[in-house]
Amino acid sequence: MAGHEHHHHHFSLCFCDLMRLLWSLVMPCVYLSLALTLLLLLVLLGLRVWLQGRRKTRRAQDGGPAVAFFHPYCNAGGGGERVLWCSLRALMNRYPNVSFVVYTGDKGVTGEQVLEGARQRFNITLPRPVTFIFLRHRGLVEAASYPHFTLLGQSLGSMFLGWEALTAFVPDLYVDSMGYAFTLPIFRYLGGCKVASYVHYPTVSTDMLTVVRERNPRFNNADFISRNPVLSAVKVLYYCLFALLYGLAGSCSDVVMVNSTWTLGHILALWRCPGRTSVVYPPCDVRAFLDVPLEGEEDEDELEEDWEELGGEEDGRGRAGGDTKCQSIVSVGQFRPEKDHLLQIRAFAKLLDRKGDGPGGREALRLVLIGGCRNQEDEDRVLMLRGLCQELGVSDRVDFKLNVPFDELKRELVSATIGLHTMWNEHFGIGVVECMAAGTIVLAHKSGGPKLDIVVPHEGRQTGFLADSEDSYAAAMEIILALTPSARLEIKRAARESVGRFSDQEFEACFLAATEALMNQLVR
């Protein structure tokens, strides 16, 4: 019994010694952590005071407030860039005493060349000069820089790029117009700026989580992950944690504008600031197309009679008669993986197989892929797509037109029979709207913005077609090509009437209304 008590006493002494040892180790760590935290707070406070001092000095020199747009790819020529230039034009016309800055990562070009590109591609000319801040480290936000944990890498990279922008120029109002939400807290809390954001596409969404949970391979879910349940579970956890951080960063925005109903749903779920969030449809240059008469509108009755006499056969333009000009199926979109040009080419190949080599068959059809290339990765993707065309034996029927000026884009759309769109969960789809305004019958993906906002009935009339697979796309194209002239014309009219809500004027009015409170704080 005495031995047992002695053993228990010895154990108690050892336990107390162990606790003392741990306490002696932990307390210095706690003190060190507190000291480092305090030091970090002092550094951040010092940076904020320094940056605000620079802003006050700059404002005293300029004599007025400044608004800066963060758009590292402002020379890319896509729909996001049209939003940028229309936003600047609207604000410049409304607020003559405010100066404007664009942070861009484009290299090898001048500000004048960027503005000339906007004029050629979008038919937009700014009423006043804009200052460009050329950032040197745009590679930090390139997906190619992060083969793994791409979302996290790009987000952290955007914070460093945002810091470079902030130290180069401290604005009064910062607008993220490309979706780099992690730059918002830097400008708000370190720069002391008002911040706004225009969200084209949520960086992470519940749909992406669904893709991973269902182990469905897509452009953002590699095959080796989708095949492995453990890796898929880890990626779901990674996405959930990232979504939490993304929501915290986005909620820093004083004003949030989203481009579609689909994007609105995801941003409300992630950022949780409904009182500051509104839908502002992106601007589509519909005026440039609305002046063009719809094909068949002037001689509708004559075309219908010819169609019936020929038993419903059509020539190469979808018109009854002897003109053998090819019918073109046009796609407009940057050569990015999510645009899914692979699906377009494969569906077109299936259509050619269905049509055969007879009259109105293979030789009467042509697929025209129009889009911009942002970087070498996009150019390599075009080479890959050309290789796929050769592999499927359709290279003689597919044209690639890269970085074309607006006039050529307009000609292609106006003369096309079908406007093709294949991106799954496209956030909006400016190219879809342009096709509808041009009098081209739209065939879009049955998801995202096209399904919820664009290719919807107008006053009870059909405005286009939707599909979601190679077979359904091929079948829909075949149906469109077989429509009578009057049926085509009715769809074209309904589609054209519906696009007024996506005009430049509507965008500018909604954008100015969303930002009015912030801008009034700057100019008062």
Side-chain angles (χ1 to χ4, degrees):
M1 185 69 178
H4 177 72
E5 290 179 355
H6 176 75
H7 177 73
H8 178 73
H9 179 68
H10 180 70
F11 174 78
S12 299
L13 290 175
C14 290
F15 179 75
C16 291
D17 290 340
L18 178 62
M19 292 303 295
R20 290 191 191 97
L21 176 63
L22 291 176
W23 185 257
S24 65
L25 293 175
V26 168
M27 287 309 296
C29 292
V30 171
Y31 293 142
L32 180 61
S33 298
L34 290 174
L36 291 175
T37 301
L38 180 60
L39 179 62
L40 178 61
L41 289 175
L42 290 174
V43 169
L44 294 178
L45 181 60
L47 288 174
R48 179 182 170 92
V49 171
W50 172 62
L51 290 169
Q52 287 186 333
R54 293 189 60 183
R55 185 181 66 219
K56 290 179 181 178
T57 302
R58 186 266 309 158
R59 185 158 181 171
Q61 293 174 347
D62 295 345
V67 176
F69 284 77
F70 188 76
H71 209 101
Y73 294 92
C74 74
N75 201 35
E81 287 66 62
R82 168 168 268 280
V83 168
L84 170 67
W85 304 123
C86 284
S87 301
L88 282 166
R89 182 175 61 186
L91 291 172
M92 284 181 175
N93 287 327
R94 181 72 170 270
Y95 303 100
N97 297 322
V98 176
S99 58
F100 295 90
V101 169
V102 174
Y103 300 115
T104 178
D106 293 297
K107 298 178 181 178
V109 293
T110 64
E112 291 76 14
Q113 289 172 325
V114 172
L115 293 174
E116 177 61 20
R119 188 193 66 78
Q120 291 183 357
R121 172 64 181 86
F122 302 118
N123 198 26
I124 294 175
T125 302
L126 298 182
R128 288 193 281 126
V130 60
T131 301
F132 289 91
I133 304 293
F134 291 92
L135 307 176
R136 296 173 297 167
H137 301 102
R138 191 176 71 179
L140 292 172
V141 297
E142 298 276 359
S145 301
Y146 310 99
H148 305 292
F149 299 99
T150 307
L151 290 179
L152 182 60
Q154 286 183 287
S155 298
L156 292 174
S158 72
M159 296 177 73
F160 285 103
L161 193 64
W163 174 250
E164 180 188 349
L166 180 59
T167 53
F169 184 90
V170 186
D172 297 279
L173 171 61
Y174 168 78
V175 184
D176 166 38
S177 52
M178 274 203 73
Y180 292 106
F182 285 84
T183 63
L184 297 171
I186 292 176
F187 276 82
R188 177 167 183 171
Y189 296 117
L190 289 182
C193 311
K194 295 293 184 180
V195 293
S197 54
Y198 189 94
V199 184
H200 299 273
Y201 195 87
T203 303
V204 64
S205 67
T206 54
D207 294 316
M208 294 167 69
L209 289 170
T210 301
V211 167
V212 180
R213 283 196 186 102
E214 296 178 352
R215 298 168 62 188
N216 184 1
R218 282 188 181 268
F219 72 89
N220 61 345
N221 194 38
D223 288 344
F224 76 92
I225 293 179
S226 64
R227 290 194 297 263
N228 190 308
V230 176
L231 291 179
S232 292
V234 171
K235 189 168 185 179
V236 169
L237 178 62
Y238 161 59
Y239 270 10
C240 289
L241 292 174
F242 182 85
L244 176 63
L245 296 174
Y246 177 63
L248 291 173
S251 64
C252 295
S253 189
D254 295 299
V255 169
V256 182
M257 294 166 279
V258 299
N259 68 340
S260 69
T261 303
W262 181 86
T263 306
L264 175 67
H266 289 286
I267 290 300
L268 289 180
L270 293 167
W271 292 16
R272 301 182 184 278
C273 47
R276 290 172 274 151
T277 307
S278 59
V279 176
V280 178
Y281 288 129
C284 309
D285 193 10
V286 295
R287 285 190 308 171
F289 301 103
L290 295 180
D291 294 335
V292 179
L294 293 175
E295 183 179 7
E297 198 165 31
E298 298 177 352
D299 51 355
E300 179 180 359
D301 295 335
E302 180 183 344
L303 283 175
E304 195 67 27
E305 291 175 3
D306 292 343
W307 176 275
E308 293 174 357
E309 290 176 4
L310 294 172
E313 293 183 0
E314 59 184 352
D315 72 359
R317 293 183 302 175
R319 301 180 58 163
D323 193 333
T324 59
K325 180 182 177 182
C326 284
Q327 292 187 98
S328 62
I329 300 167
V330 174
S331 162
V332 180
Q334 289 180 328
F335 287 98
R336 307 201 309 259
E338 60 268 30
K339 295 298 183 180
D340 209 350
H341 291 89
L342 293 170
L343 175 57
Q344 297 178 5
I345 294 170
R346 288 175 177 145
F348 181 67
K350 288 193 173 185
L351 173 66
L352 294 184
D353 291 339
R354 291 180 181 221
K355 300 291 286 186
D357 296 325
R362 177 188 180 91
E363 296 302 315
L365 298 174
R366 181 168 293 278
L367 175 64
V368 182
L369 304 179
I370 301 175
C373 288
R374 303 165 298 171
N375 47 38
Q376 186 60 46
E377 184 181 353
D378 288 354
E379 293 175 6
D380 292 341
R381 189 170 295 110
V382 171
L383 292 177
M384 180 271 292
L385 293 172
R386 291 183 187 273
L388 177 64
C389 291
Q390 293 181 339
E391 178 184 332
L392 297 177
V394 298
S395 56
D396 61 321
R397 312 310 307 158
V398 180
D399 292 333
F400 289 83
K401 299 200 173 186
L402 312 182
N403 304 314
V404 301
F406 178 78
D407 289 341
E408 184 174 354
L409 169 66
K410 180 179 177 180
R411 285 196 301 270
E412 290 290 348
L413 286 181
V414 168
S415 63
T417 301
I418 299 174
L420 189 60
H421 164 277
T422 50
M423 179 176 171
W424 171 73
N425 271 344
E426 168 78 90
H427 39 91
F428 180 72
I430 288 180
V432 177
V433 175
E434 290 177 339
C435 288
M436 294 168 72
T440 303
I441 295 182
V442 163
L443 172 56
H445 200 282
K446 194 176 182 180
S447 64
K451 177 184 178 182
L452 297 175
D453 292 312
I454 304 175
V455 190
V456 296
H458 176 68
E459 297 179 350
R461 296 180 293 163
Q462 183 178 4
T463 58
F465 293 78
L466 299 170
D468 56 8
S469 65
E470 292 177 23
D471 290 330
S472 61
Y473 269 100
M477 286 188 280
E478 195 170 23
I479 290 173
I480 295 170
L481 295 171
L483 289 173
T484 65
S486 61
R488 287 190 194 177
L489 187 57
E490 180 61 22
I491 294 174
K492 291 178 181 180
R493 283 172 173 164
R496 177 171 277 190
E497 291 171 11
S498 74
V499 300
R501 58 208 167 103
F502 306 128
S503 66
D504 287 3
Q505 294 73 25
E506 284 293 320
F507 167 80
E508 292 184 5
C510 293
F511 184 88
L512 290 173
T515 57
E516 184 175 17
L518 279 183
M519 292 300 299
N520 286 342
Q521 293 179 36
L522 299 186
V523 300
R524 65 185 177 188

